[in-house]
């Protein structure tokens, strides 16, 4: 995923800055509460960041620690399936849900 500018909590930043932790990142670019609900089962392994951007690349992106996209909100694969496939079972259910 290429670096791009975004705003988090009213502060300008860049994707590269958010990725510095080396943890998986779920980047919510539309403020969808359903994404936060789904991601809660992986909160111990995946950071959720709600941000805004000028040029929306997608509604949401799941970014692996190596910077590659594991999932893009495009309606083809549910977020829960991608989280389960890449980052293991949900702590809420004890299993990857789809």
């Amino acid at each position: 995923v290429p670096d791009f500018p975004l705003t988090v909590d009213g502060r300008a930043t860049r994707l590269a800055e958010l990725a510095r932790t080396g943890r998986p990142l779920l980047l919510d670019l539309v403020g969808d509460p359903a994404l936060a609900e789904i991601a809660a089962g992986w909160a111990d392994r995946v950071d959720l960041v709600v941000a805004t951007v000028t040029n929306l690349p997608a509604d949401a992106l799941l970014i692996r620690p190596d910077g590659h996209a594991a999932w893009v909100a495009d309606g083809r694969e549910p977020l829960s399936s991608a989280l389960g496939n890449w980052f293991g079972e949900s702590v809420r259910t004890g299993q990857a849900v789809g």
Side-chain angles (χ1 to χ4, degrees):
V1 177
D3 188 24
F4 57 88
L6 43 89
T7 303
V8 177
D9 295 328
R11 182 180 68 85
T13 189
R14 301 193 65 81
L15 178 58
E17 184 65 28
L18 296 176
R20 287 183 60 181
T21 64
R23 287 174 47 92
L25 176 67
L26 176 57
L27 190 58
D28 178 356
L29 301 174
V30 295
D32 184 351
L35 292 177
E37 177 65 26
I38 294 166
W42 288 268
D44 61 326
R45 290 161 276 165
V46 178
D47 294 336
L48 171 65
V49 175
V50 178
T52 57
V53 294
T54 303
N55 296 317
L56 190 66
D59 287 353
L61 300 163
L62 178 60
I63 303 169
R64 300 182 332 207
D66 64 2
H68 290 268
W71 174 85
V72 177
D74 62 8
R76 285 184 270 165
E77 178 184 18
L79 174 58
S80 57
S81 293
L83 286 163
N85 289 337
W86 284 99
F87 307 112
E89 298 177 347
S90 167
V91 296
R92 286 189 161 184
T93 64
Q95 60 185 353
V97 292

